Amino acid sequence: DAKTTQPNSMESNEEEPVHLPCNHSTISGTDYIHWYRQLPSQGPEYVIHGLTSNVNNRMASLAIAEDRKSSTLILHRATLRDAAVYYCILRDRVQGSARQLTFGSGTQLTVLP
Amino acid sequence: DAGVIQSPRHEVTEMGQEVTLRCKPISGHNSLFWYRQTMMRGLELLIYFNNNVPIDDSGMPEDRFSAKMPNASFSTLKIQPSEPRDSAVYFCASNTGTGSKVADTQYFGPGTRLTVL
């Protein structure tokens, strides 16, 4: 699986936007970009995914660079409940979903009141 | 739907004892994954099943670990004998496992926190 690089930690103020970056310079044409997050003492949960175009859902937005070598997860208004470890993960479109997720170290997001 | 169910939520045992962790995937899901999380190694896959068949067990640390999936609604992860270095949080996850759906979300259980003294 192609490797992703994320900052170890980031801080944000409550109710402000947060931009979580992810570098994936070796991404292949068949890789989807997925984001999961892990709240304290819980299992990981899906946030969003995309291939080439920017994506929005009720939780977040995903901005993908034109060359696809990087992406940014955007939380439009951070709340204290968004404090979590955020993982950027590449998943191969050809091999599909019946395979494991490969987690890196992720970004620990701290939200300050 | 109740989501992925794991039991027990916490387990404290002594070195050398047998430990069995249990998982009930979401109904209708065909793939089941066992992950382990430690501070040192993060989240890592131990084994996964597709349609109750083990597909990749390369992450199983050693012969002390074994996993079974006797039917579509139940899986176990057994450690015998347990050692202190097995202390970790063990997560079970499931998804529909439809090969062409790379967007298929994995749903994780709450985890079992294992402490081996």
PDB file of all heavy atoms in Angstrom, chain A residues 74-99:
ATOM      1  N   ILE A  74     -11.103  18.829   6.008  1.00  0.00           N
ATOM      2  CA  ILE A  74     -11.545  20.106   6.546  1.00  0.00           C
ATOM      3  C   ILE A  74     -12.742  19.897   7.457  1.00  0.00           C
ATOM      4  O   ILE A  74     -13.778  19.356   7.039  1.00  0.00           O
ATOM      5  CB  ILE A  74     -11.927  21.074   5.408  1.00  0.00           C
ATOM      6  CG1 ILE A  74     -10.738  21.270   4.463  1.00  0.00           C
ATOM      7  CG2 ILE A  74     -12.388  22.425   5.980  1.00  0.00           C
ATOM      8  CD1 ILE A  74     -11.091  21.916   3.152  1.00  0.00           C
ATOM      9  N   LEU A  75     -12.564  20.299   8.705  1.00  0.00           N
ATOM     10  CA  LEU A  75     -13.685  20.351   9.640  1.00  0.00           C
ATOM     11  C   LEU A  75     -14.085  21.824   9.696  1.00  0.00           C
ATOM     12  O   LEU A  75     -13.286  22.677  10.098  1.00  0.00           O
ATOM     13  CB  LEU A  75     -13.276  19.848  11.023  1.00  0.00           C
ATOM     14  CG  LEU A  75     -12.621  18.474  11.084  1.00  0.00           C
ATOM     15  CD1 LEU A  75     -12.258  18.118  12.518  1.00  0.00           C
ATOM     16  CD2 LEU A  75     -13.532  17.425  10.491  1.00  0.00           C
ATOM     17  N   HIS A  76     -15.300  22.130   9.311  1.00  0.00           N
ATOM     18  CA  HIS A  76     -15.670  23.530   9.113  1.00  0.00           C
ATOM     19  C   HIS A  76     -15.798  24.311  10.416  1.00  0.00           C
ATOM     20  O   HIS A  76     -15.456  25.492  10.466  1.00  0.00           O
ATOM     21  CB  HIS A  76     -16.949  23.603   8.298  1.00  0.00           C
ATOM     22  CG  HIS A  76     -16.751  23.065   6.908  1.00  0.00           C
ATOM     23  ND1 HIS A  76     -16.062  23.761   5.945  1.00  0.00           N
ATOM     24  CD2 HIS A  76     -17.115  21.891   6.340  1.00  0.00           C
ATOM     25  CE1 HIS A  76     -16.023  23.050   4.823  1.00  0.00           C
ATOM     26  NE2 HIS A  76     -16.652  21.903   5.038  1.00  0.00           N
ATOM     27  N   ARG A  77     -16.280  23.661  11.457  1.00  0.00           N
ATOM     28  CA  ARG A  77     -16.374  24.295  12.771  1.00  0.00           C
ATOM     29  C   ARG A  77     -16.061  23.249  13.815  1.00  0.00           C
ATOM     30  O   ARG A  77     -16.904  22.418  14.133  1.00  0.00           O
ATOM     31  CB  ARG A  77     -17.762  24.882  13.010  1.00  0.00           C
ATOM     32  CG  ARG A  77     -18.062  26.131  12.206  1.00  0.00           C
ATOM     33  CD  ARG A  77     -19.464  26.668  12.519  1.00  0.00           C
ATOM     34  NE  ARG A  77     -19.524  27.204  13.880  1.00  0.00           N
ATOM     35  CZ  ARG A  77     -20.471  26.927  14.748  1.00  0.00           C
ATOM     36  NH1 ARG A  77     -21.436  26.083  14.437  1.00  0.00           N
ATOM     37  NH2 ARG A  77     -20.478  27.469  15.956  1.00  0.00           N
ATOM     38  N   ALA A  78     -14.840  23.260  14.295  1.00  0.00           N
ATOM     39  CA  ALA A  78     -14.423  22.234  15.240  1.00  0.00           C
ATOM     40  C   ALA A  78     -15.177  22.361  16.555  1.00  0.00           C
ATOM     41  O   ALA A  78     -15.396  23.468  17.067  1.00  0.00           O
ATOM     42  CB  ALA A  78     -12.929  22.347  15.503  1.00  0.00           C
ATOM     43  N   THR A  79     -15.568  21.232  17.083  1.00  0.00           N
ATOM     44  CA  THR A  79     -16.159  21.184  18.415  1.00  0.00           C
ATOM     45  C   THR A  79     -15.270  20.346  19.306  1.00  0.00           C
ATOM     46  O   THR A  79     -14.377  19.632  18.826  1.00  0.00           O
ATOM     47  CB  THR A  79     -17.569  20.582  18.382  1.00  0.00           C
ATOM     48  OG1 THR A  79     -17.458  19.177  18.078  1.00  0.00           O
ATOM     49  CG2 THR A  79     -18.438  21.261  17.329  1.00  0.00           C
ATOM     50  N   LEU A  80     -15.518  20.405  20.597  1.00  0.00           N
ATOM     51  CA  LEU A  80     -14.716  19.619  21.529  1.00  0.00           C
ATOM     52  C   LEU A  80     -14.840  18.132  21.217  1.00  0.00           C
ATOM     53  O   LEU A  80     -13.914  17.357  21.458  1.00  0.00           O
ATOM     54  CB  LEU A  80     -15.154  19.912  22.964  1.00  0.00           C
ATOM     55  CG  LEU A  80     -14.943  21.358  23.440  1.00  0.00           C
ATOM     56  CD1 LEU A  80     -15.461  21.520  24.860  1.00  0.00           C
ATOM     57  CD2 LEU A  80     -13.478  21.756  23.342  1.00  0.00           C
ATOM     58  N   ARG A  81     -15.989  17.737  20.673  1.00  0.00           N
ATOM     59  CA  ARG A  81     -16.205  16.331  20.344  1.00  0.00           C
ATOM     60  C   ARG A  81     -15.401  15.876  19.133  1.00  0.00           C
ATOM     61  O   ARG A  81     -15.361  14.685  18.830  1.00  0.00           O
ATOM     62  CB  ARG A  81     -17.685  16.083  20.114  1.00  0.00           C
ATOM     63  CG  ARG A  81     -18.523  16.207  21.380  1.00  0.00           C
ATOM     64  CD  ARG A  81     -20.002  16.280  21.068  1.00  0.00           C
ATOM     65  NE  ARG A  81     -20.446  15.181  20.216  1.00  0.00           N
ATOM     66  CZ  ARG A  81     -21.676  15.070  19.740  1.00  0.00           C
ATOM     67  NH1 ARG A  81     -22.578  15.997  20.027  1.00  0.00           N
ATOM     68  NH2 ARG A  81     -22.016  14.054  18.985  1.00  0.00           N
ATOM     69  N   ASP A  82     -14.789  16.813  18.415  1.00  0.00           N
ATOM     70  CA  ASP A  82     -13.960  16.442  17.269  1.00  0.00           C
ATOM     71  C   ASP A  82     -12.527  16.104  17.670  1.00  0.00           C
ATOM     72  O   ASP A  82     -11.712  15.725  16.823  1.00  0.00           O
ATOM     73  CB  ASP A  82     -13.929  17.583  16.244  1.00  0.00           C
ATOM     74  CG  ASP A  82     -15.267  17.765  15.553  1.00  0.00           C
ATOM     75  OD1 ASP A  82     -15.924  16.745  15.257  1.00  0.00           O
ATOM     76  OD2 ASP A  82     -15.645  18.933  15.316  1.00  0.00           O
ATOM     77  N   ALA A  83     -12.211  16.248  18.937  1.00  0.00           N
ATOM     78  CA  ALA A  83     -10.871  15.892  19.404  1.00  0.00           C
ATOM     79  C   ALA A  83     -10.678  14.384  19.241  1.00  0.00           C
ATOM     80  O   ALA A  83     -11.412  13.585  19.831  1.00  0.00           O
ATOM     81  CB  ALA A  83     -10.689  16.290  20.860  1.00  0.00           C
ATOM     82  N   ALA A  84      -9.691  14.021  18.416  1.00  0.00           N
ATOM     83  CA  ALA A  84      -9.515  12.620  18.052  1.00  0.00           C
ATOM     84  C   ALA A  84      -8.205  12.477  17.295  1.00  0.00           C
ATOM     85  O   ALA A  84      -7.539  13.463  16.975  1.00  0.00           O
ATOM     86  CB  ALA A  84     -10.664  12.137  17.171  1.00  0.00           C
ATOM     87  N   VAL A  85      -7.851  11.229  16.997  1.00  0.00           N
ATOM     88  CA  VAL A  85      -6.749  10.960  16.079  1.00  0.00           C
ATOM     89  C   VAL A  85      -7.359  10.753  14.701  1.00  0.00           C
ATOM     90  O   VAL A  85      -8.280   9.934  14.543  1.00  0.00           O
ATOM     91  CB  VAL A  85      -5.932   9.728  16.497  1.00  0.00           C
ATOM     92  CG1 VAL A  85      -4.817   9.471  15.489  1.00  0.00           C
ATOM     93  CG2 VAL A  85      -5.361   9.917  17.892  1.00  0.00           C
ATOM     94  N   TYR A  86      -6.867  11.488  13.718  1.00  0.00           N
ATOM     95  CA  TYR A  86      -7.387  11.416  12.357  1.00  0.00           C
ATOM     96  C   TYR A  86      -6.378  10.686  11.473  1.00  0.00           C
ATOM     97  O   TYR A  86      -5.200  11.037  11.425  1.00  0.00           O
ATOM     98  CB  TYR A  86      -7.651  12.828  11.820  1.00  0.00           C
ATOM     99  CG  TYR A  86      -8.863  13.456  12.447  1.00  0.00           C
ATOM    100  CD1 TYR A  86      -8.792  14.006  13.720  1.00  0.00           C
ATOM    101  CD2 TYR A  86     -10.088  13.464  11.789  1.00  0.00           C
ATOM    102  CE1 TYR A  86      -9.916  14.563  14.325  1.00  0.00           C
ATOM    103  CE2 TYR A  86     -11.213  14.019  12.377  1.00  0.00           C
ATOM    104  CZ  TYR A  86     -11.126  14.554  13.641  1.00  0.00           C
ATOM    105  OH  TYR A  86     -12.243  15.108  14.229  1.00  0.00           O
ATOM    106  N   TYR A  87      -6.868   9.665  10.790  1.00  0.00           N
ATOM    107  CA  TYR A  87      -6.025   8.829   9.945  1.00  0.00           C
ATOM    108  C   TYR A  87      -6.367   9.034   8.471  1.00  0.00           C
ATOM    109  O   TYR A  87      -7.538   8.966   8.086  1.00  0.00           O
ATOM    110  CB  TYR A  87      -6.226   7.346  10.280  1.00  0.00           C
ATOM    111  CG  TYR A  87      -5.855   6.939  11.678  1.00  0.00           C
ATOM    112  CD1 TYR A  87      -6.819   6.818  12.671  1.00  0.00           C
ATOM    113  CD2 TYR A  87      -4.535   6.638  12.003  1.00  0.00           C
ATOM    114  CE1 TYR A  87      -6.484   6.417  13.952  1.00  0.00           C
ATOM    115  CE2 TYR A  87      -4.188   6.231  13.276  1.00  0.00           C
ATOM    116  CZ  TYR A  87      -5.168   6.126  14.252  1.00  0.00           C
ATOM    117  OH  TYR A  87      -4.825   5.718  15.515  1.00  0.00           O
ATOM    118  N   CYS A  88      -5.350   9.239   7.676  1.00  0.00           N
ATOM    119  CA  CYS A  88      -5.476   9.317   6.230  1.00  0.00           C
ATOM    120  C   CYS A  88      -4.989   7.982   5.665  1.00  0.00           C
ATOM    121  O   CYS A  88      -3.870   7.555   5.962  1.00  0.00           O
ATOM    122  CB  CYS A  88      -4.607  10.478   5.736  1.00  0.00           C
ATOM    123  SG  CYS A  88      -4.423  10.610   3.962  1.00  0.00           S
ATOM    124  N   ILE A  89      -5.817   7.318   4.892  1.00  0.00           N
ATOM    125  CA  ILE A  89      -5.527   5.950   4.453  1.00  0.00           C
ATOM    126  C   ILE A  89      -5.810   5.829   2.961  1.00  0.00           C
ATOM    127  O   ILE A  89      -6.836   6.321   2.481  1.00  0.00           O
ATOM    128  CB  ILE A  89      -6.412   4.942   5.222  1.00  0.00           C
ATOM    129  CG1 ILE A  89      -6.153   5.029   6.731  1.00  0.00           C
ATOM    130  CG2 ILE A  89      -6.189   3.519   4.723  1.00  0.00           C
ATOM    131  CD1 ILE A  89      -7.183   4.298   7.573  1.00  0.00           C
ATOM    132  N   LEU A  90      -4.926   5.160   2.240  1.00  0.00           N
ATOM    133  CA  LEU A  90      -5.150   4.894   0.818  1.00  0.00           C
ATOM    134  C   LEU A  90      -5.697   3.487   0.631  1.00  0.00           C
ATOM    135  O   LEU A  90      -5.228   2.548   1.262  1.00  0.00           O
ATOM    136  CB  LEU A  90      -3.848   5.056   0.034  1.00  0.00           C
ATOM    137  CG  LEU A  90      -3.163   6.420   0.113  1.00  0.00           C
ATOM    138  CD1 LEU A  90      -1.923   6.451  -0.768  1.00  0.00           C
ATOM    139  CD2 LEU A  90      -4.123   7.532  -0.287  1.00  0.00           C
ATOM    140  N   ARG A  91      -6.696   3.372  -0.218  1.00  0.00           N
ATOM    141  CA  ARG A  91      -7.283   2.058  -0.492  1.00  0.00           C
ATOM    142  C   ARG A  91      -7.337   1.844  -2.001  1.00  0.00           C
ATOM    143  O   ARG A  91      -7.834   2.671  -2.742  1.00  0.00           O
ATOM    144  CB  ARG A  91      -8.677   1.938   0.109  1.00  0.00           C
ATOM    145  CG  ARG A  91      -8.698   2.120   1.603  1.00  0.00           C
ATOM    146  CD  ARG A  91      -9.984   1.651   2.193  1.00  0.00           C
ATOM    147  NE  ARG A  91     -10.063   0.192   2.245  1.00  0.00           N
ATOM    148  CZ  ARG A  91     -11.162  -0.468   2.572  1.00  0.00           C
ATOM    149  NH1 ARG A  91     -12.275   0.178   2.803  1.00  0.00           N
ATOM    150  NH2 ARG A  91     -11.174  -1.778   2.636  1.00  0.00           N
ATOM    151  N   ASP A  92      -6.867   0.691  -2.400  1.00  0.00           N
ATOM    152  CA  ASP A  92      -6.773   0.395  -3.816  1.00  0.00           C
ATOM    153  C   ASP A  92      -8.135   0.056  -4.412  1.00  0.00           C
ATOM    154  O   ASP A  92      -8.837  -0.820  -3.916  1.00  0.00           O
ATOM    155  CB  ASP A  92      -5.795  -0.765  -4.022  1.00  0.00           C
ATOM    156  CG  ASP A  92      -5.536  -1.042  -5.474  1.00  0.00           C
ATOM    157  OD1 ASP A  92      -6.300  -1.824  -6.074  1.00  0.00           O
ATOM    158  OD2 ASP A  92      -4.598  -0.452  -6.028  1.00  0.00           O
ATOM    159  N   ARG A  93      -8.489   0.745  -5.491  1.00  0.00           N
ATOM    160  CA  ARG A  93      -9.793   0.551  -6.121  1.00  0.00           C
ATOM    161  C   ARG A  93      -9.908  -0.830  -6.754  1.00  0.00           C
ATOM    162  O   ARG A  93     -10.968  -1.443  -6.745  1.00  0.00           O
ATOM    163  CB  ARG A  93     -10.007   1.621  -7.181  1.00  0.00           C
ATOM    164  CG  ARG A  93     -11.315   1.495  -7.961  1.00  0.00           C
ATOM    165  CD  ARG A  93     -11.483   2.646  -8.918  1.00  0.00           C
ATOM    166  NE  ARG A  93     -10.373   2.749  -9.844  1.00  0.00           N
ATOM    167  CZ  ARG A  93     -10.214   3.789 -10.681  1.00  0.00           C
ATOM    168  NH1 ARG A  93     -11.064   4.787 -10.661  1.00  0.00           N
ATOM    169  NH2 ARG A  93      -9.189   3.823 -11.505  1.00  0.00           N
ATOM    170  N   VAL A  94      -8.801  -1.320  -7.275  1.00  0.00           N
ATOM    171  CA  VAL A  94      -8.846  -2.605  -7.966  1.00  0.00           C
ATOM    172  C   VAL A  94      -9.040  -3.737  -6.976  1.00  0.00           C
ATOM    173  O   VAL A  94      -9.858  -4.632  -7.184  1.00  0.00           O
ATOM    174  CB  VAL A  94      -7.552  -2.823  -8.787  1.00  0.00           C
ATOM    175  CG1 VAL A  94      -7.526  -4.221  -9.382  1.00  0.00           C
ATOM    176  CG2 VAL A  94      -7.450  -1.776  -9.882  1.00  0.00           C
ATOM    177  N   GLN A  95      -8.289  -3.690  -5.869  1.00  0.00           N
ATOM    178  CA  GLN A  95      -8.380  -4.779  -4.913  1.00  0.00           C
ATOM    179  C   GLN A  95      -9.622  -4.688  -4.052  1.00  0.00           C
ATOM    180  O   GLN A  95     -10.028  -5.672  -3.440  1.00  0.00           O
ATOM    181  CB  GLN A  95      -7.125  -4.811  -4.045  1.00  0.00           C
ATOM    182  CG  GLN A  95      -5.888  -5.177  -4.848  1.00  0.00           C
ATOM    183  CD  GLN A  95      -4.652  -5.185  -3.995  1.00  0.00           C
ATOM    184  OE1 GLN A  95      -4.522  -4.396  -3.075  1.00  0.00           O
ATOM    185  NE2 GLN A  95      -3.724  -6.067  -4.294  1.00  0.00           N
ATOM    186  N   GLY A  96     -10.199  -3.494  -3.985  1.00  0.00           N
ATOM    187  CA  GLY A  96     -11.503  -3.385  -3.380  1.00  0.00           C
ATOM    188  C   GLY A  96     -11.520  -3.339  -1.869  1.00  0.00           C
ATOM    189  O   GLY A  96     -10.507  -3.171  -1.210  1.00  0.00           O
ATOM    190  N   SER A  97     -12.685  -3.533  -1.324  1.00  0.00           N
ATOM    191  CA  SER A  97     -12.893  -3.286   0.089  1.00  0.00           C
ATOM    192  C   SER A  97     -12.646  -4.510   0.956  1.00  0.00           C
ATOM    193  O   SER A  97     -12.557  -4.400   2.163  1.00  0.00           O
ATOM    194  CB  SER A  97     -14.318  -2.811   0.311  1.00  0.00           C
ATOM    195  OG  SER A  97     -15.227  -3.861  -0.007  1.00  0.00           O
ATOM    196  N   ALA A  98     -12.549  -5.672   0.355  1.00  0.00           N
ATOM    197  CA  ALA A  98     -12.385  -6.872   1.158  1.00  0.00           C
ATOM    198  C   ALA A  98     -10.945  -7.040   1.589  1.00  0.00           C
ATOM    199  O   ALA A  98     -10.370  -8.120   1.479  1.00  0.00           O
ATOM    200  CB  ALA A  98     -12.867  -8.094   0.380  1.00  0.00           C
ATOM    201  N   ARG A  99     -10.352  -5.988   2.041  1.00  0.00           N
ATOM    202  CA  ARG A  99      -8.991  -5.992   2.553  1.00  0.00           C
ATOM    203  C   ARG A  99      -8.916  -5.071   3.746  1.00  0.00           C
ATOM    204  O   ARG A  99      -9.755  -4.217   3.962  1.00  0.00           O
ATOM    205  CB  ARG A  99      -8.001  -5.503   1.487  1.00  0.00           C
ATOM    206  CG  ARG A  99      -7.738  -6.475   0.363  1.00  0.00           C
ATOM    207  CD  ARG A  99      -6.594  -5.980  -0.494  1.00  0.00           C
ATOM    208  NE  ARG A  99      -5.328  -6.066   0.237  1.00  0.00           N
ATOM    209  CZ  ARG A  99      -4.317  -5.251   0.016  1.00  0.00           C
ATOM    210  NH1 ARG A  99      -4.417  -4.286  -0.864  1.00  0.00           N
ATOM    211  NH2 ARG A  99      -3.195  -5.388   0.692  1.00  0.00           N
TER     212      ARG A  99
END
